[in-house]
């Protein structure tokens, strides 16, 4: 009986999180999405936290935005000589029960070719495609951290 | 309704929710939710708590926790010149900002992550201190960063920032002067390339000396604290700042083309020496035993292509002290190439920033120049100057002619898989070993070393070019297998994977290239981005018996 209640609680917590965040696909939720401002035609980056409350890993495989020509999954890494470089990432795995933070200086969404300028206070729509959860829509707040 | 939005794994449990303890669970969940929201809201300020106390505008007390000595320069060096154009296409000189402290850093506007983060940090440090500091952003991507584009971009920079650009060579010369390295990296996306670059921020004081260097990721609080200290003239907290005077004599006499913050401007002779513009051509320079450093020399923008020249090259430490004996560089002109390179064989005691001071007689006069460079850590890789590892790399014949077992290149050049390193060693044949993969691109440079080898193979028919695919081939699935992840791959160690003894090459990354001479000695090695010019010069050096 106790065990039953706990598993029921866990299941409900998932429902609750999904409802609270609004932007979710299955057991995935996103939070704290933001992007840097930029001029029309410029490239910028978007960041967010992706949490996987489910029991199986999921992978962010691609992203797109109606506000940009393309969006890539990138990671900033210093190379052997100390240069900071970016490299495309094939997929970003979100472990079961874990979360991945896309943040400056690490993994990020590289937003290429803004179709209109982004100013602080605007928002940028993003569509994230996950291997299992499918498409998840996210609104990133434009801000200068 | 609740059932539908749960995941499939939870569906079974969800149906039970509807009976029994449903309300109990709802109350629990609501409490849990409140706790989560509250902790998220409250959690925000806590990591900054220390910084928050120190930062708000009161410029009186610098953040107590910042170790400013970690950033301050130990010796005073004059800031190398910056003579470029600004967003209005107007000539701009760093010297025009004398009287103000200036943050100098390099980047590019299509950089979405590192550069905006740095701009934000520097902007905050300037705003927090109200000391009239300025910032100069030098583009390393002049192809896209035209003045007109910089003007657009400037609108997104904090006040007091000057974005600069110039011609490819002006930018390269400027960056070399600051010991800033950058390289174009193809992203593989439509018309996409990015620029890898060193991302340090330099602080130049009002007298034009570099007073501090901040690595990427330094907090605005730390930058502000160092700036305050430098402006207040109290930077003698740094271990060995020259005891003479906090403001060094502004050097009016620095020749613009001698472009290092390091010393070597030993203006001893009464005649001013000719300034030589020295560039390091080698894409990888390693610390450790003596290895080749390929240099190109030019004066007044014209490259020196004199095979009779044997410049003297001295290693100089970051603090300006000569280290070890000076060596004579060897002139090398690869077959069919008009340009002459000069190869200095130098032992560098440890990884990090170094400089080379070069002198040579030139048309009856003394010519000199310096260049800064970074020595890389060779890790466990086979050392230069030592016998090559004896492991047998697999050939096509070893795997029954199955090309997929020796290369992931969809259109492989199987000439690269005909011989093993052991064949070349047995025949005293110079060889180039290329560890690279076309399929598993763990870095943007992957796949390009193979292309370089294919090109070089035609130029050097007497040299063995050997491709080693650093991944496992699964006979059962008939595919190459990536062990580990792309981010952290497990490379095949040829000694164990093929069960044919010998010591391995000790690499933990890719791509990499080793050049071995006819005596079986490792002469050069490269990691990551590598130039075909580089390997060409080393092979020429070996061919001419150098």
């Amino acid at each position: 009986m106790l065990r039953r209640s706990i598993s029921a609680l866990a299941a409900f917590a998932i429902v609750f999180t999904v409802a609270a965040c609004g932007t979710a696909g299955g057991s995935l939720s996103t939070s704290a999405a933001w992007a840097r401002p930029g001029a029309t035609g410029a490239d910028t980056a978007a960041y967010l936290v992706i949490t996987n409350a489910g029991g199986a890993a999921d992978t962010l495989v691609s992203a797109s935005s109606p506000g940009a020509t393309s969006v890539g999954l990138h990671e900033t890494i210093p190379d052997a000589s100390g240069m900071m470089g970016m490299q495309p990432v094939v997929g970003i795995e979100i472990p079961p029960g874990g979360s991945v933070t896309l943040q400056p200086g690490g993994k990020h969404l590289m937003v290429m070719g803004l179709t209109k300028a982004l100013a602080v206070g605007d928002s940028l729509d993003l569509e994230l495609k996950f291997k299992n959860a499918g498409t998840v829509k996210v609104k990133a707040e434009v801000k200068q951290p | 309704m609740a059932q539908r939005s749960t995941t499939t794994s939870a569906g079974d449990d969800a149906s039970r929710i509807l009976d029994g303890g449903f309300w109990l669970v709802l109350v629990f969940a609501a409490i849990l939710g409140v706790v989560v929201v509250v902790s998220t809201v409250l959690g925000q300020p806590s990591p900054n708590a220390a910084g928050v106390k120190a930062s708000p505008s009161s410029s009186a007390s610098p953040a107590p926790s910042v170790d400013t000595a970690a950033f301050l320069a130990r010796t005073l060096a004059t800031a190398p010149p910056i003579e470029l154009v600004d967003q209005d296409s107007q000539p701009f000189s760093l010297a025009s900002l004398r009287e103000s402290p200036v943050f100098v850093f390099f980047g590019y506007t299509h950089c979405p992550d590192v550069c905006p983060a740095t701009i934000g940090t520097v902007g905050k440090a300037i705003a927090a201190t109200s000391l009239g500091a300025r910032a100069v952003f030098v583009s390393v991507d002049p192809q896209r960063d035209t003045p007109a584009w910089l003007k657009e971009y400037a609108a997104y920079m904090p006040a007091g920032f000057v974005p600069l650009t110039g011609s490819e060579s002006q930018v390269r010369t400027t960056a070399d002067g600051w010991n800033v390295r950058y390289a174009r990296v193809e992203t593989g996306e439509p018309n996409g390339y990015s620029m890898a670059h060193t991302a340090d921020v330099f602080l130049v004081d009002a007298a034009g000396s570099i007073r501090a260097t901040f690595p990427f990721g330094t907090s605005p609080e730390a930058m502000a604290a160092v700036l305050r200290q430098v402006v207040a003239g109290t930077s003698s907290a740094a271990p060995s700042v020259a005891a003479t005077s906090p403001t060094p004599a502004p050097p009016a006499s620095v020749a613009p083309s001698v472009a290092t913050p390091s010393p070597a401007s030993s203006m001893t002779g009464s005649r001013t020496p000719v300034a030589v513009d020295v560039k390091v051509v080698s894409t990888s320079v390693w610390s450790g035993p003596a290895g080749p450093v390929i240099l190109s020399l030019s004066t007044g923008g014209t490259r020196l292509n004199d095979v009779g020249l044997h410049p003297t090259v001295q290693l100089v430490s970051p603090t300006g002290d000569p280290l070890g004996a000076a060596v004579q560089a060897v002139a090398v002109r690869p077959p069919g190439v008009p340009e002459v390179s000069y190869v200095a064989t130098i032992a560098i005691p440890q990884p990090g920033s170094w400089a080379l001071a070069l002198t040579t007689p030139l048309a009856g006069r003394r010519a000199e120049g310096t260049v800064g460079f970074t020595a890389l850590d060779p890790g466990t890789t086979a050392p230069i100057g030592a016998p090559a590892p004896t492991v047998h790399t697999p050939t096509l014949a070893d795997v029954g002619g199955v090309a997929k077992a020796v290369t992931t290149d969809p259109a492989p050049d199987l000439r690269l898989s005909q011989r093993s390193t052991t064949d070349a060693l047995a025949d005293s044949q110079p060889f180039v070993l290329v560890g690279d993969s076309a399929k598993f691109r763990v870095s943007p440079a992957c796949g390009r070393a193979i292309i370089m080898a294919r090109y070089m193979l035609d130029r050097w028919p007497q040299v063995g070019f050997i491709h080693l695919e650093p991944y496992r081939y699964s006979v059962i699935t008939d595919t190459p297998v990536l062990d580990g992840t792309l981010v952290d791959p497990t490379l095949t160690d040829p000694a164990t994977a093929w069960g044919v003894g010998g010591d391995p090459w000790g690499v933990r990354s890719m791509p990499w290239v080793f050049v071995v001479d006819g005596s079986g000695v490792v002469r050069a090695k490269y990691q990551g981005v590598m130039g075909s010019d580089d390997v060409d010069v080393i092979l020429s050096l070996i061919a001419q018996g150098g």
Side-chain angles (χ1 to χ4, degrees):
Chain A
M1 168 61 201
L2 176 64
R3 209 166 139 202
R4 214 199 221 198
S5 298
I6 289 172
S7 63
L9 173 63
F12 203 87
I14 293 165
V15 179
F16 183 86
T17 317
V18 167
C21 299
T23 55
S27 52
L28 285 181
S29 63
T30 63
S31 59
W34 65 281
R36 293 184 192 279
T40 307
D43 300 339
T44 187
Y47 308 93
L48 75 164
V49 180
I50 307 168
T51 305
N52 181 359
D58 204 345
T59 305
L60 173 62
V61 287
S62 66
S64 62
S65 169
T69 317
S70 65
V71 179
L73 312 184
H74 278 209
E75 183 169 21
T76 297
I77 321 191
D79 74 359
S81 69
M83 289 194 288
M84 300 294 283
M86 276 192 316
Q87 58 187 49
V89 180
V90 176
I92 298 175
E93 190 181 290
I94 326 292
S99 69
V100 169
T101 303
L102 277 61
Q103 60 188 351
K107 292 192 176 79
H108 57 272
L109 301 177
M110 162 102 180
V111 181
M112 284 165 280
L114 290 174
T115 50
K116 74 178 186 64
L118 291 181
V120 172
D122 292 349
S123 65
L124 175 70
D125 290 324
L126 292 163
E127 285 194 4
L128 310 183
K129 279 208 174 56
F130 291 90
K131 201 166 155 191
N132 303 327
T135 303
V136 173
K137 292 190 176 189
V138 181
K139 232 181 214 335
E141 177 197 355
V142 176
K143 63 175 186 179
Q144 199 73 265
Chain B
M1 182 199 116
Q3 279 160 290
R4 290 191 187 262
S5 54
T6 47
T7 57
T8 48
S9 63
D12 200 30
D13 288 332
S15 59
R16 286 184 213 139
I17 292 173
L18 295 175
D19 53 71
F22 174 73
W23 289 107
L24 178 68
V25 167
L26 182 63
V27 169
F28 261 117
I31 291 169
L32 181 74
V34 169
V35 168
V36 166
V37 169
V38 168
S39 67
T40 312
V41 171
L42 294 181
Q44 215 67 329
S46 61
N48 306 341
V52 165
K53 277 179 210 151
S55 57
S57 61
S58 65
S59 55
S61 60
S65 57
V66 174
D67 176 17
T68 54
F71 305 104
L72 288 163
R74 284 157 200 274
T75 52
L76 292 178
T78 302
I82 297 179
E83 305 285 343
L84 295 166
V85 294
D86 65 13
Q87 74 272 32
D88 297 312
S89 302
Q90 294 303 305
F92 174 92
S93 170
L94 179 61
S96 69
L97 294 184
R98 283 286 155 81
E99 312 304 327
S100 304
V102 186
F103 289 100
V104 173
F105 58 103
F106 293 69
Y108 65 109
T109 68
H110 284 74
C111 164
D113 188 41
V114 167
C115 310
T118 306
I119 290 170
T121 304
V122 171
K124 277 186 192 164
I126 291 176
T129 47
S130 309
L131 291 167
R134 304 288 303 273
V136 166
F137 170 89
V138 180
S139 169
V140 294
D141 183 16
Q143 187 185 324
R144 289 186 292 196
D145 290 342
T146 59
W149 178 248
L150 287 182
K151 205 173 171 80
E152 292 268 319
Y153 192 72
Y156 294 86
M157 292 179 133
F161 275 60
V162 186
L164 298 176
T165 188
S167 69
E168 300 268 350
S169 67
Q170 285 170 330
V171 167
R172 179 61 77 180
T173 305
T174 307
D176 283 350
W178 287 79
N179 207 5
V180 165
R181 302 185 64 217
Y182 63 90
R184 181 181 158 127
V185 178
E186 305 303 325
T187 57
E189 281 147 359
N191 71 26
Y193 67 90
S194 67
M195 303 297 296
H197 60 96
T198 44
D200 294 333
V201 176
F202 305 95
L203 174 61
V204 177
D205 69 11
S209 294
I210 298 180
R211 299 298 292 274
T213 305
F214 308 97
F216 176 71
T218 303
S219 70
E221 290 79 17
M223 284 191 192
V226 172
L227 174 61
R228 286 192 192 100
Q229 204 172 332
V230 164
V231 169
T234 55
S235 65
S236 44
S240 64
V241 166
T244 47
S245 111
T247 36
S253 61
V254 175
S257 56
V258 177
T260 1
S262 55
S265 347
S266 48
M267 300 278 193
T268 42
S270 52
R271 273 175 85 185
T272 346
V274 180
V276 180
D277 186 14
V278 185
K279 286 195 168 56
V280 173
V281 176
S282 302
T283 39
S284 302
V285 177
W286 304 98
S287 64
V293 183
I294 306 172
L295 305 171
S296 75
L297 308 180
S298 50
T299 52
T302 311
R303 184 148 170 177
L304 291 176
N305 293 321
D306 182 352
V307 286
L309 226 52
H310 300 287
T312 305
V313 179
Q314 171 71 57
L315 180 67
V316 180
S317 78
T319 50
D321 306 312
L323 221 94
V327 299
Q328 277 221 312
V330 180
V332 177
R333 189 205 299 265
V337 173
E339 286 85 21
V340 173
S341 298
Y342 300 89
V343 182
T345 302
I346 289 177
I348 301 159
Q350 61 192 50
S353 290
W354 296 90
L356 294 175
L358 176 142
T359 56
T360 182
L362 192 68
R365 288 179 67 186
R366 177 186 160 85
E368 62 178 42
T370 62
V371 63
F373 68 97
T374 306
L376 309 176
D377 185 347
T380 54
T381 51
I384 291 175
T390 51
V391 68
H392 175 85
T393 58
T395 65
L396 203 53
D398 291 330
V399 296
V402 180
K404 266 196 277 187
V406 286
T407 177
T408 57
D409 194 338
D413 186 337
L414 293 174
R415 293 178 300 171
L416 300 170
S417 306
Q418 301 297 341
R419 284 172 76 74
S420 170
T421 49
T422 47
D423 300 328
L425 287 171
D427 295 349
S428 301
Q429 180 195 29
F431 68 90
V432 176
L433 176 64
V434 179
D436 195 6
S437 175
K439 182 178 171 74
F440 300 116
R441 292 166 172 260
V442 301
S443 91
C446 287
R448 286 198 274 161
I450 304 177
I451 295 167
M452 188 269 296
R454 294 172 82 151
Y455 160 74
M456 297 291 289
L457 179 64
D458 293 328
R459 271 184 67 68
W460 295 94
Q462 72 281 27
V463 172
F465 283 85
I466 299 162
H467 172 215
L468 176 64
E469 183 76 35
Y471 295 105
R472 190 163 61 80
Y473 170 76
S474 163
V475 182
I476 297 164
T477 57
D478 188 31
T479 47
V481 176
L482 172 74
D483 292 319
T485 63
L486 263 188
V487 178
D488 186 20
T490 307
L491 302 183
T492 298
D493 171 352
T496 50
W498 296 90
V500 265
D503 56 319
W505 293 84
V507 295
R508 299 229 168 88
S509 61
M510 61 175 281
W512 38 268
V513 164
F514 291 89
V515 184
V516 176
D517 68 16
S519 319
V521 172
V522 178
R523 297 294 296 271
K525 56 184 175 183
Y526 302 93
Q527 181 183 35
V529 178
M530 65 202 76
S532 55
D533 291 358
D534 228 341
V535 177
D536 213 24
V537 167
I538 300 298
L539 289 176
S540 305
L541 183 69
I542 293 172
Q544 71 187 44

